Amino acid sequence: MTRARIATAWLGGCSGCHMSLLDMDEWLFELAQVADIVYSPIADVKIFPEDVDATLVEGAIANEDNLELALEIRAKSRLVISFGDCAVTGNVTAMRNPLGDPQQILQSVYVDAPDRDGQIPVEPGIVPPLLPQVLPVHKAIRVDAFLPGCPPPADRIQAALEALLEGALPPNRGEAIRFG
Amino acid sequence: MSNKVIIDPVTRIEGHAKIAIALDEAGQVETARFSVTEFRGFEEFCKGRPVWEMPSLTARTCGICPVSHLLASAKAGDAIMGVKIPSTGVKLRRLVNLGQIIQSHALSFFHLSSPDMLLGWDADPAVRNVFGLMGAEPELARRGIRLRGFGQGVIEAIAGRKVHSPGIVPGGIADAMTTETRERLLAGLDEAQQTAEAALELFVGMLDKFEREIGAFGLFPSLHLGLANDDGLWENYDGHLKFVDAAGNTVADNIDPADYRTYIGESTRRDSYLKSPYFKPLVADGENVNAGIYRVGPLARLNVCKTMGAPLADEALLAYREMAGGTANSSFFYHYARLIEILASTELMRALLEDDAILDPMVRATAGINHRHAVGVSEAPRGTLFHEYHVDQNGLLEEMNMIIATGQNNLPMNATVLQIAKEWIDGHDIPEPVLNRIEAGIRAYDPCLSCSTHAVGKMPLDVSLHDHEGTLVSSVQRG
Ligand code: SF4
């Protein structure tokens, strides 16, 4: 049997969805029996690999690095799953949207508030510029399924992965699509 | 020929980061910078929202240590109401924090850092992770996963959920503890404690292999900050602020956390969304903020306290201090300190659970808005965490500031990256295991970058090497 190639990615989120994934605890051993985790913040691979069966994407799209990675994920994954409320709706990460221009927010946080050396971080190639508005993942790329929750509880993540390993999409009824 | 290395993304850390190293004309390492690349803006979008909502909202700064934010935020809420919370409420909050220290430290050691130590710095990057560990050392991996699960279970049992728990509220804790919960947690303690002891033994047994790492993973003098109590015991929930120097001498003590701004300044850098706090009294106007460098977290807490207040952990602390030569100033010892804190947490948890007072139904005080300004502080797994709120008469936030543990380790992490780069990089060629060592130097701090920029976080890191003319020589991205 060929092993499934699963990836997980972390865009603009708090990593709580990934922590909930780790809360599957010993089921992780079962997952490792049948699948390879080919890219993940908890592993060391730096470049998103080719030919991934399914990628769980945590977080919203908040800056140019997030956007670039999202496009790469889409190009290289058969299925993309919005993983958690930030990915599905923007959630907490998108709470800056009503404040408008991110430059104003940066000004207040990095120039007005600090005791000294106030400046907006801008180093090209290092600090990615913020997008004017934070986007849920499906506003930037096509998404095949949604797994809401802040974070989704571990048993729901497990059910989603079990479905994916069977070649099906995650359940999308009742508890499985509850937010918060 | 170009002379700058960039590690992008830095992996197996809890945040989004890059590392840029610049070489001089002779090809020797000149500077190394650690940058955090995510920003969410909590301080801004929380304005106008009710103080009651702050615990659950600010918990979303970080899914790894949400309990720290819940506690600092709830404590700021206690002070805004002006209430003294019931003593069992305090005990339950302490239990949750101990649960979090266990789960977060277990994650740092077993899931993120032990693959380097056990599988080797030069192991194939594809297996150098917790899944690789499951294959190579299944028993150890299982124990680590179960230990983290135990800590998460304590949080869930007391505060309602493993991640972003709703049960820690201004005034205390939402629900009293039941007898069944108490029994269940006590039943899991033995195994947790045994795993903590086994991990310590394993780590101490490996230490002589890491002589070079101990000498180069951030070995430098700095101040250390932690919460302290009047008995000099290890503290993680209450107490005052205390700074000691590299020799263990007290530099500032008995500081009310509400006065933190007198001692802690914040500066900003052009190439990072992570601010750099510094010890204000040591930095003259115009002087480099590095003069005020201090560390927080397990290493600092063990330097600040006299003893752990738990017998097994105190034995371990003696051996640790002997190894470190008194005050520990190598950041490699963060790992060691973390394991001692796990052990202490299991012992202190047992004492709290065995006391019948833990079942007292009085766990929450209520009141309205009675003060307009407050600072809440807690010891997060990674170090001292501050939440400062100004509210209007209805409790809506007018101003907010958070100082995050990982930010306070920003200057030390930069010093560490530079030290490791100088120790291992010679010329333009940077082999992969060297990159991994640079990242491992960062990993020793267990930085939580989602917190640190109150920002969006993620785990990757990215190293770039630039020459003296600023041209990119190599950008190291492993794949
Ligand atoms: S959905 Fe919730 S848990 Fe997941 S990243 Fe967003 S804030 Fe964190």
Side-chain angles (χ1 to χ4, degrees), chain A residues 10-18 20 58-60 83-88 90-93 148-152 180, chain B residues 40 42 59-63 161 163-164:
Chain A
W10 178 6
L11 305 180
C14 77
S15 81
C17 293
H18 273 85
S20 202
E58 172 193 312
F83 176 32
D85 288 350
C86 289
V88 176
N91 195 32
V92 177
T93 307
C150 180
Chain B
R40 280 182 298 178
F42 272 80
R60 266 77 180 179
T61 40
C62 178
R161 259 165 73 154
V163 182
H164 306 329

PDB file of all heavy atoms in Angstrom, chain A residues 10-18 20 58-60 83-88 90-93 148-152 180, chain B residues 40 42 59-63 161 163-164, ligand 1:
ATOM      1  N   TRP A  10       1.289  26.448   8.754  1.00  0.00           N
ATOM      2  CA  TRP A  10       0.874  27.436   9.738  1.00  0.00           C
ATOM      3  C   TRP A  10       1.023  28.818   9.123  1.00  0.00           C
ATOM      4  O   TRP A  10       2.125  29.293   8.913  1.00  0.00           O
ATOM      5  CB  TRP A  10       1.768  27.253  10.976  1.00  0.00           C
ATOM      6  CG  TRP A  10       1.557  28.195  12.092  1.00  0.00           C
ATOM      7  CD1 TRP A  10       0.592  29.145  12.202  1.00  0.00           C
ATOM      8  CD2 TRP A  10       2.343  28.282  13.278  1.00  0.00           C
ATOM      9  NE1 TRP A  10       0.721  29.803  13.401  1.00  0.00           N
ATOM     10  CE2 TRP A  10       1.784  29.304  14.074  1.00  0.00           C
ATOM     11  CE3 TRP A  10       3.456  27.592  13.748  1.00  0.00           C
ATOM     12  CZ2 TRP A  10       2.322  29.648  15.312  1.00  0.00           C
ATOM     13  CZ3 TRP A  10       3.984  27.932  14.972  1.00  0.00           C
ATOM     14  CH2 TRP A  10       3.421  28.954  15.754  1.00  0.00           C
ATOM     15  N   LEU A  11      -0.091  29.439   8.815  1.00  0.00           N
ATOM     16  CA  LEU A  11      -0.062  30.805   8.282  1.00  0.00           C
ATOM     17  C   LEU A  11      -0.374  31.750   9.447  1.00  0.00           C
ATOM     18  O   LEU A  11       0.190  31.612  10.515  1.00  0.00           O
ATOM     19  CB  LEU A  11      -1.058  30.936   7.120  1.00  0.00           C
ATOM     20  CG  LEU A  11      -0.870  29.918   5.983  1.00  0.00           C
ATOM     21  CD1 LEU A  11      -1.907  30.128   4.885  1.00  0.00           C
ATOM     22  CD2 LEU A  11       0.528  29.981   5.392  1.00  0.00           C
ATOM     23  N   GLY A  12      -1.289  32.699   9.255  1.00  0.00           N
ATOM     24  CA  GLY A  12      -1.570  33.640  10.333  1.00  0.00           C
ATOM     25  C   GLY A  12      -2.519  33.070  11.372  1.00  0.00           C
ATOM     26  O   GLY A  12      -3.726  33.281  11.326  1.00  0.00           O
ATOM     27  N   GLY A  13      -1.969  32.340  12.334  1.00  0.00           N
ATOM     28  CA  GLY A  13      -2.767  31.743  13.403  1.00  0.00           C
ATOM     29  C   GLY A  13      -1.932  31.676  14.658  1.00  0.00           C
ATOM     30  O   GLY A  13      -0.808  32.168  14.677  1.00  0.00           O
ATOM     31  N   CYS A  14      -2.465  31.052  15.705  1.00  0.00           N
ATOM     32  CA  CYS A  14      -1.772  31.097  16.991  1.00  0.00           C
ATOM     33  C   CYS A  14      -1.081  29.782  17.290  1.00  0.00           C
ATOM     34  O   CYS A  14      -0.536  29.608  18.370  1.00  0.00           O
ATOM     35  CB  CYS A  14      -2.760  31.425  18.099  1.00  0.00           C
ATOM     36  SG  CYS A  14      -3.790  30.017  18.568  1.00  0.00           S
ATOM     37  N   SER A  15      -1.149  28.819  16.370  1.00  0.00           N
ATOM     38  CA  SER A  15      -0.624  27.466  16.517  1.00  0.00           C
ATOM     39  C   SER A  15      -1.514  26.601  17.389  1.00  0.00           C
ATOM     40  O   SER A  15      -1.228  25.423  17.593  1.00  0.00           O
ATOM     41  CB  SER A  15       0.818  27.441  17.042  1.00  0.00           C
ATOM     42  OG  SER A  15       0.845  27.589  18.435  1.00  0.00           O
ATOM     43  N   GLY A  16      -2.616  27.147  17.886  1.00  0.00           N
ATOM     44  CA  GLY A  16      -3.536  26.351  18.698  1.00  0.00           C
ATOM     45  C   GLY A  16      -4.107  25.179  17.922  1.00  0.00           C
ATOM     46  O   GLY A  16      -4.335  24.100  18.478  1.00  0.00           O
ATOM     47  N   CYS A  17      -4.338  25.368  16.622  1.00  0.00           N
ATOM     48  CA  CYS A  17      -4.861  24.258  15.822  1.00  0.00           C
ATOM     49  C   CYS A  17      -3.828  23.136  15.742  1.00  0.00           C
ATOM     50  O   CYS A  17      -4.175  21.952  15.811  1.00  0.00           O
ATOM     51  CB  CYS A  17      -5.235  24.753  14.426  1.00  0.00           C
ATOM     52  SG  CYS A  17      -6.625  25.904  14.436  1.00  0.00           S
ATOM     53  N   HIS A  18      -2.548  23.517  15.603  1.00  0.00           N
ATOM     54  CA  HIS A  18      -1.501  22.488  15.607  1.00  0.00           C
ATOM     55  C   HIS A  18      -1.382  21.815  16.960  1.00  0.00           C
ATOM     56  O   HIS A  18      -1.098  20.621  17.057  1.00  0.00           O
ATOM     57  CB  HIS A  18      -0.159  23.082  15.165  1.00  0.00           C
ATOM     58  CG  HIS A  18       0.036  23.062  13.681  1.00  0.00           C
ATOM     59  ND1 HIS A  18      -0.450  24.051  12.864  1.00  0.00           N
ATOM     60  CD2 HIS A  18       0.632  22.154  12.875  1.00  0.00           C
ATOM     61  CE1 HIS A  18      -0.152  23.756  11.599  1.00  0.00           C
ATOM     62  NE2 HIS A  18       0.510  22.607  11.580  1.00  0.00           N
ATOM     63  N   SER A  20      -3.819  21.290  18.967  1.00  0.00           N
ATOM     64  CA  SER A  20      -4.945  20.369  19.028  1.00  0.00           C
ATOM     65  C   SER A  20      -4.646  19.109  18.207  1.00  0.00           C
ATOM     66  O   SER A  20      -5.035  18.001  18.583  1.00  0.00           O
ATOM     67  CB  SER A  20      -6.197  21.079  18.512  1.00  0.00           C
ATOM     68  OG  SER A  20      -7.345  20.456  18.985  1.00  0.00           O
ATOM     69  N   GLU A  58      -3.485  25.876   8.780  1.00  0.00           N
ATOM     70  CA  GLU A  58      -3.922  26.672   9.928  1.00  0.00           C
ATOM     71  C   GLU A  58      -3.672  28.146   9.650  1.00  0.00           C
ATOM     72  O   GLU A  58      -2.638  28.516   9.107  1.00  0.00           O
ATOM     73  CB  GLU A  58      -3.139  26.289  11.199  1.00  0.00           C
ATOM     74  CG  GLU A  58      -3.447  27.248  12.363  1.00  0.00           C
ATOM     75  CD  GLU A  58      -2.500  27.148  13.566  1.00  0.00           C
ATOM     76  OE1 GLU A  58      -2.243  26.032  14.032  1.00  0.00           O
ATOM     77  OE2 GLU A  58      -2.037  28.217  14.021  1.00  0.00           O
ATOM     78  N   GLY A  59      -4.596  28.991  10.077  1.00  0.00           N
ATOM     79  CA  GLY A  59      -4.342  30.429  10.047  1.00  0.00           C
ATOM     80  C   GLY A  59      -4.881  31.113   8.804  1.00  0.00           C
ATOM     81  O   GLY A  59      -5.151  30.491   7.775  1.00  0.00           O
ATOM     82  N   ALA A  60      -5.016  32.426   8.926  1.00  0.00           N
ATOM     83  CA  ALA A  60      -5.498  33.238   7.822  1.00  0.00           C
ATOM     84  C   ALA A  60      -4.309  33.752   7.020  1.00  0.00           C
ATOM     85  O   ALA A  60      -3.152  33.520   7.377  1.00  0.00           O
ATOM     86  CB  ALA A  60      -6.311  34.405   8.381  1.00  0.00           C
ATOM     87  N   PHE A  83      -8.027  24.692   8.078  1.00  0.00           N
ATOM     88  CA  PHE A  83      -7.917  23.991   9.359  1.00  0.00           C
ATOM     89  C   PHE A  83      -8.093  25.016  10.486  1.00  0.00           C
ATOM     90  O   PHE A  83      -7.182  25.769  10.804  1.00  0.00           O
ATOM     91  CB  PHE A  83      -6.542  23.331   9.374  1.00  0.00           C
ATOM     92  CG  PHE A  83      -6.146  22.624  10.638  1.00  0.00           C
ATOM     93  CD1 PHE A  83      -7.077  21.993  11.455  1.00  0.00           C
ATOM     94  CD2 PHE A  83      -4.799  22.546  10.996  1.00  0.00           C
ATOM     95  CE1 PHE A  83      -6.681  21.323  12.603  1.00  0.00           C
ATOM     96  CE2 PHE A  83      -4.387  21.876  12.139  1.00  0.00           C
ATOM     97  CZ  PHE A  83      -5.335  21.263  12.941  1.00  0.00           C
ATOM     98  N   GLY A  84      -9.295  25.067  11.077  1.00  0.00           N
ATOM     99  CA  GLY A  84      -9.543  25.990  12.186  1.00  0.00           C
ATOM    100  C   GLY A  84     -10.192  27.292  11.725  1.00  0.00           C
ATOM    101  O   GLY A  84     -10.162  27.652  10.550  1.00  0.00           O
ATOM    102  N   ASP A  85     -10.761  28.006  12.696  1.00  0.00           N
ATOM    103  CA  ASP A  85     -11.553  29.195  12.371  1.00  0.00           C
ATOM    104  C   ASP A  85     -10.751  30.294  11.679  1.00  0.00           C
ATOM    105  O   ASP A  85     -11.293  31.019  10.844  1.00  0.00           O
ATOM    106  CB  ASP A  85     -12.196  29.769  13.646  1.00  0.00           C
ATOM    107  CG  ASP A  85     -13.332  28.892  14.159  1.00  0.00           C
ATOM    108  OD1 ASP A  85     -13.740  27.955  13.432  1.00  0.00           O
ATOM    109  OD2 ASP A  85     -13.806  29.129  15.284  1.00  0.00           O
ATOM    110  N   CYS A  86      -9.480  30.469  12.020  1.00  0.00           N
ATOM    111  CA  CYS A  86      -8.706  31.527  11.358  1.00  0.00           C
ATOM    112  C   CYS A  86      -8.605  31.259   9.858  1.00  0.00           C
ATOM    113  O   CYS A  86      -8.740  32.165   9.041  1.00  0.00           O
ATOM    114  CB  CYS A  86      -7.311  31.660  11.962  1.00  0.00           C
ATOM    115  SG  CYS A  86      -7.322  32.362  13.612  1.00  0.00           S
ATOM    116  N   ALA A  87      -8.379  30.003   9.508  1.00  0.00           N
ATOM    117  CA  ALA A  87      -8.305  29.658   8.093  1.00  0.00           C
ATOM    118  C   ALA A  87      -9.679  29.780   7.445  1.00  0.00           C
ATOM    119  O   ALA A  87      -9.812  30.251   6.313  1.00  0.00           O
ATOM    120  CB  ALA A  87      -7.766  28.236   7.934  1.00  0.00           C
ATOM    121  N   VAL A  88     -10.727  29.377   8.173  1.00  0.00           N
ATOM    122  CA  VAL A  88     -12.070  29.329   7.588  1.00  0.00           C
ATOM    123  C   VAL A  88     -12.684  30.723   7.445  1.00  0.00           C
ATOM    124  O   VAL A  88     -13.283  31.045   6.424  1.00  0.00           O
ATOM    125  CB  VAL A  88     -12.993  28.415   8.431  1.00  0.00           C
ATOM    126  CG1 VAL A  88     -14.419  28.430   7.882  1.00  0.00           C
ATOM    127  CG2 VAL A  88     -12.456  26.980   8.449  1.00  0.00           C
ATOM    128  N   GLY A  90     -11.028  33.842   8.977  1.00  0.00           N
ATOM    129  CA  GLY A  90     -10.138  34.947   9.356  1.00  0.00           C
ATOM    130  C   GLY A  90     -10.074  35.099  10.867  1.00  0.00           C
ATOM    131  O   GLY A  90      -9.035  35.411  11.424  1.00  0.00           O
ATOM    132  N   ASN A  91     -11.206  34.915  11.528  1.00  0.00           N
ATOM    133  CA  ASN A  91     -11.271  34.838  13.005  1.00  0.00           C
ATOM    134  C   ASN A  91     -10.452  35.936  13.689  1.00  0.00           C
ATOM    135  O   ASN A  91     -10.509  37.094  13.290  1.00  0.00           O
ATOM    136  CB  ASN A  91     -10.829  33.421  13.432  1.00  0.00           C
ATOM    137  CG  ASN A  91     -11.162  33.053  14.855  1.00  0.00           C
ATOM    138  OD1 ASN A  91     -12.164  33.498  15.383  1.00  0.00           O
ATOM    139  ND2 ASN A  91     -10.331  32.243  15.486  1.00  0.00           N
ATOM    140  N   VAL A  92      -9.699  35.583  14.723  1.00  0.00           N
ATOM    141  CA  VAL A  92      -8.967  36.575  15.522  1.00  0.00           C
ATOM    142  C   VAL A  92      -7.923  37.315  14.671  1.00  0.00           C
ATOM    143  O   VAL A  92      -7.724  38.521  14.818  1.00  0.00           O
ATOM    144  CB  VAL A  92      -8.285  35.884  16.729  1.00  0.00           C
ATOM    145  CG1 VAL A  92      -7.455  36.877  17.517  1.00  0.00           C
ATOM    146  CG2 VAL A  92      -9.347  35.254  17.624  1.00  0.00           C
ATOM    147  N   THR A  93      -7.302  36.582  13.771  1.00  0.00           N
ATOM    148  CA  THR A  93      -6.268  37.207  12.937  1.00  0.00           C
ATOM    149  C   THR A  93      -6.846  38.342  12.097  1.00  0.00           C
ATOM    150  O   THR A  93      -6.171  39.339  11.824  1.00  0.00           O
ATOM    151  CB  THR A  93      -5.627  36.133  12.028  1.00  0.00           C
ATOM    152  OG1 THR A  93      -5.192  35.060  12.869  1.00  0.00           O
ATOM    153  CG2 THR A  93      -4.453  36.678  11.253  1.00  0.00           C
ATOM    154  N   PRO A 148     -13.763  23.673  10.892  1.00  0.00           N
ATOM    155  CA  PRO A 148     -13.798  24.816  11.807  1.00  0.00           C
ATOM    156  C   PRO A 148     -13.528  24.438  13.256  1.00  0.00           C
ATOM    157  O   PRO A 148     -13.394  23.256  13.585  1.00  0.00           O
ATOM    158  CB  PRO A 148     -15.209  25.376  11.641  1.00  0.00           C
ATOM    159  CG  PRO A 148     -16.011  24.338  10.962  1.00  0.00           C
ATOM    160  CD  PRO A 148     -15.095  23.280  10.430  1.00  0.00           C
ATOM    161  N   GLY A 149     -13.471  25.462  14.112  1.00  0.00           N
ATOM    162  CA  GLY A 149     -13.162  25.264  15.540  1.00  0.00           C
ATOM    163  C   GLY A 149     -11.998  26.156  15.905  1.00  0.00           C
ATOM    164  O   GLY A 149     -11.169  26.469  15.058  1.00  0.00           O
ATOM    165  N   CYS A 150     -11.977  26.606  17.154  1.00  0.00           N
ATOM    166  CA  CYS A 150     -10.886  27.491  17.579  1.00  0.00           C
ATOM    167  C   CYS A 150     -10.322  26.993  18.896  1.00  0.00           C
ATOM    168  O   CYS A 150     -10.621  27.540  19.928  1.00  0.00           O
ATOM    169  CB  CYS A 150     -11.390  28.933  17.704  1.00  0.00           C
ATOM    170  SG  CYS A 150     -10.122  30.093  18.214  1.00  0.00           S
ATOM    171  N   PRO A 151      -9.483  25.954  18.831  1.00  0.00           N
ATOM    172  CA  PRO A 151      -9.173  25.123  17.671  1.00  0.00           C
ATOM    173  C   PRO A 151     -10.199  24.008  17.513  1.00  0.00           C
ATOM    174  O   PRO A 151     -10.970  23.760  18.423  1.00  0.00           O
ATOM    175  CB  PRO A 151      -7.818  24.508  18.057  1.00  0.00           C
ATOM    176  CG  PRO A 151      -7.903  24.378  19.549  1.00  0.00           C
ATOM    177  CD  PRO A 151      -8.726  25.551  20.023  1.00  0.00           C
ATOM    178  N   PRO A 152     -10.205  23.294  16.357  1.00  0.00           N
ATOM    179  CA  PRO A 152     -11.020  22.084  16.264  1.00  0.00           C
ATOM    180  C   PRO A 152     -10.514  21.087  17.300  1.00  0.00           C
ATOM    181  O   PRO A 152      -9.306  20.938  17.444  1.00  0.00           O
ATOM    182  CB  PRO A 152     -10.728  21.561  14.854  1.00  0.00           C
ATOM    183  CG  PRO A 152     -10.019  22.656  14.132  1.00  0.00           C
ATOM    184  CD  PRO A 152      -9.377  23.528  15.169  1.00  0.00           C
ATOM    185  N   GLY A 180     -15.730  27.945  16.888  1.00  0.00           N
ATOM    186  CA  GLY A 180     -15.366  28.385  18.238  1.00  0.00           C
ATOM    187  C   GLY A 180     -14.654  27.335  19.036  1.00  0.00           C
ATOM    188  O   GLY A 180     -14.499  26.217  18.638  1.00  0.00           O
TER     189      GLY A 180
ATOM    190  N   ARG B  40       0.195  40.446  14.351  1.00  0.00           N
ATOM    191  CA  ARG B  40      -1.271  40.434  14.339  1.00  0.00           C
ATOM    192  C   ARG B  40      -1.919  41.682  14.932  1.00  0.00           C
ATOM    193  O   ARG B  40      -3.033  42.008  14.585  1.00  0.00           O
ATOM    194  CB  ARG B  40      -1.812  39.183  15.042  1.00  0.00           C
ATOM    195  CG  ARG B  40      -1.769  37.962  14.120  1.00  0.00           C
ATOM    196  CD  ARG B  40      -2.333  36.727  14.775  1.00  0.00           C
ATOM    197  NE  ARG B  40      -1.552  36.360  15.939  1.00  0.00           N
ATOM    198  CZ  ARG B  40      -1.839  35.333  16.722  1.00  0.00           C
ATOM    199  NH1 ARG B  40      -2.885  34.586  16.499  1.00  0.00           N
ATOM    200  NH2 ARG B  40      -1.077  35.058  17.760  1.00  0.00           N
ATOM    201  N   PHE B  42      -2.649  42.637  18.371  1.00  0.00           N
ATOM    202  CA  PHE B  42      -3.602  42.539  19.488  1.00  0.00           C
ATOM    203  C   PHE B  42      -3.762  43.851  20.237  1.00  0.00           C
ATOM    204  O   PHE B  42      -4.862  44.220  20.632  1.00  0.00           O
ATOM    205  CB  PHE B  42      -3.159  41.451  20.480  1.00  0.00           C
ATOM    206  CG  PHE B  42      -3.668  40.095  20.125  1.00  0.00           C
ATOM    207  CD1 PHE B  42      -3.045  39.338  19.154  1.00  0.00           C
ATOM    208  CD2 PHE B  42      -4.785  39.562  20.754  1.00  0.00           C
ATOM    209  CE1 PHE B  42      -3.507  38.080  18.802  1.00  0.00           C
ATOM    210  CE2 PHE B  42      -5.268  38.302  20.415  1.00  0.00           C
ATOM    211  CZ  PHE B  42      -4.634  37.564  19.441  1.00  0.00           C
ATOM    212  N   ALA B  59      -5.941  34.760  24.957  1.00  0.00           N
ATOM    213  CA  ALA B  59      -5.459  33.373  24.880  1.00  0.00           C
ATOM    214  C   ALA B  59      -5.110  33.039  23.442  1.00  0.00           C
ATOM    215  O   ALA B  59      -4.180  32.273  23.166  1.00  0.00           O
ATOM    216  CB  ALA B  59      -6.529  32.406  25.398  1.00  0.00           C
ATOM    217  N   ARG B  60      -5.833  33.653  22.501  1.00  0.00           N
ATOM    218  CA  ARG B  60      -5.610  33.369  21.067  1.00  0.00           C
ATOM    219  C   ARG B  60      -4.323  33.991  20.539  1.00  0.00           C
ATOM    220  O   ARG B  60      -4.041  33.883  19.355  1.00  0.00           O
ATOM    221  CB  ARG B  60      -6.803  33.861  20.233  1.00  0.00           C
ATOM    222  CG  ARG B  60      -7.866  32.795  19.961  1.00  0.00           C
ATOM    223  CD  ARG B  60      -8.754  32.528  21.126  1.00  0.00           C
ATOM    224  NE  ARG B  60      -9.752  31.492  20.816  1.00  0.00           N
ATOM    225  CZ  ARG B  60     -10.646  31.070  21.701  1.00  0.00           C
ATOM    226  NH1 ARG B  60     -10.676  31.545  22.921  1.00  0.00           N
ATOM    227  NH2 ARG B  60     -11.497  30.118  21.357  1.00  0.00           N
ATOM    228  N   THR B  61      -3.546  34.687  21.376  1.00  0.00           N
ATOM    229  CA  THR B  61      -2.220  35.055  20.906  1.00  0.00           C
ATOM    230  C   THR B  61      -1.395  33.802  20.720  1.00  0.00           C
ATOM    231  O   THR B  61      -0.487  33.770  19.907  1.00  0.00           O
ATOM    232  CB  THR B  61      -1.454  35.982  21.882  1.00  0.00           C
ATOM    233  OG1 THR B  61      -1.690  35.549  23.198  1.00  0.00           O
ATOM    234  CG2 THR B  61      -1.867  37.413  21.753  1.00  0.00           C
ATOM    235  N   CYS B  62      -1.715  32.763  21.491  1.00  0.00           N
ATOM    236  CA  CYS B  62      -0.824  31.616  21.451  1.00  0.00           C
ATOM    237  C   CYS B  62      -1.512  30.334  21.850  1.00  0.00           C
ATOM    238  O   CYS B  62      -2.059  30.237  22.938  1.00  0.00           O
ATOM    239  CB  CYS B  62       0.330  31.856  22.402  1.00  0.00           C
ATOM    240  SG  CYS B  62       1.430  30.455  22.456  1.00  0.00           S
ATOM    241  N   GLY B  63      -1.458  29.346  20.978  1.00  0.00           N
ATOM    242  CA  GLY B  63      -2.077  28.059  21.276  1.00  0.00           C
ATOM    243  C   GLY B  63      -1.194  27.156  22.088  1.00  0.00           C
ATOM    244  O   GLY B  63      -1.624  26.097  22.537  1.00  0.00           O
ATOM    245  N   ARG B 161     -11.112  23.125  28.767  1.00  0.00           N
ATOM    246  CA  ARG B 161     -10.645  22.738  27.437  1.00  0.00           C
ATOM    247  C   ARG B 161      -9.134  22.675  27.448  1.00  0.00           C
ATOM    248  O   ARG B 161      -8.506  23.340  28.247  1.00  0.00           O
ATOM    249  CB  ARG B 161     -11.061  23.796  26.403  1.00  0.00           C
ATOM    250  CG  ARG B 161     -12.272  23.404  25.588  1.00  0.00           C
ATOM    251  CD  ARG B 161     -12.837  24.596  24.880  1.00  0.00           C
ATOM    252  NE  ARG B 161     -11.977  25.013  23.765  1.00  0.00           N
ATOM    253  CZ  ARG B 161     -12.457  25.682  22.702  1.00  0.00           C
ATOM    254  NH1 ARG B 161     -13.725  25.988  22.620  1.00  0.00           N
ATOM    255  NH2 ARG B 161     -11.644  26.044  21.744  1.00  0.00           N
ATOM    256  N   VAL B 163      -7.095  23.635  24.839  1.00  0.00           N
ATOM    257  CA  VAL B 163      -6.552  24.837  24.202  1.00  0.00           C
ATOM    258  C   VAL B 163      -7.612  25.938  24.297  1.00  0.00           C
ATOM    259  O   VAL B 163      -8.765  25.712  23.958  1.00  0.00           O
ATOM    260  CB  VAL B 163      -6.194  24.559  22.724  1.00  0.00           C
ATOM    261  CG1 VAL B 163      -5.594  25.805  22.080  1.00  0.00           C
ATOM    262  CG2 VAL B 163      -5.224  23.393  22.601  1.00  0.00           C
ATOM    263  N   HIS B 164      -7.210  27.116  24.745  1.00  0.00           N
ATOM    264  CA  HIS B 164      -8.118  28.255  24.895  1.00  0.00           C
ATOM    265  C   HIS B 164      -9.277  27.937  25.844  1.00  0.00           C
ATOM    266  O   HIS B 164     -10.456  28.061  25.499  1.00  0.00           O
ATOM    267  CB  HIS B 164      -8.652  28.725  23.533  1.00  0.00           C
ATOM    268  CG  HIS B 164      -7.561  29.027  22.547  1.00  0.00           C
ATOM    269  ND1 HIS B 164      -6.324  29.502  22.951  1.00  0.00           N
ATOM    270  CD2 HIS B 164      -7.493  28.936  21.202  1.00  0.00           C
ATOM    271  CE1 HIS B 164      -5.569  29.677  21.869  1.00  0.00           C
ATOM    272  NE2 HIS B 164      -6.243  29.334  20.813  1.00  0.00           N
TER     273      HIS B 164
HETATM  274  S1  SF4 C   1      -8.527  28.988  14.865  1.00  0.00           S
HETATM  275 FE1  SF4 C   1      -8.169  29.517  17.028  1.00  0.00          FE
HETATM  276  S2  SF4 C   1      -6.733  27.953  17.685  1.00  0.00           S
HETATM  277 FE2  SF4 C   1      -6.648  27.947  15.452  1.00  0.00          FE
HETATM  278  S3  SF4 C   1      -5.036  29.376  14.899  1.00  0.00           S
HETATM  279 FE3  SF4 C   1      -6.922  30.571  14.954  1.00  0.00          FE
HETATM  280  S4  SF4 C   1      -6.998  31.433  17.016  1.00  0.00           S
HETATM  281 FE4  SF4 C   1      -5.541  29.762  17.072  1.00  0.00          FE
END
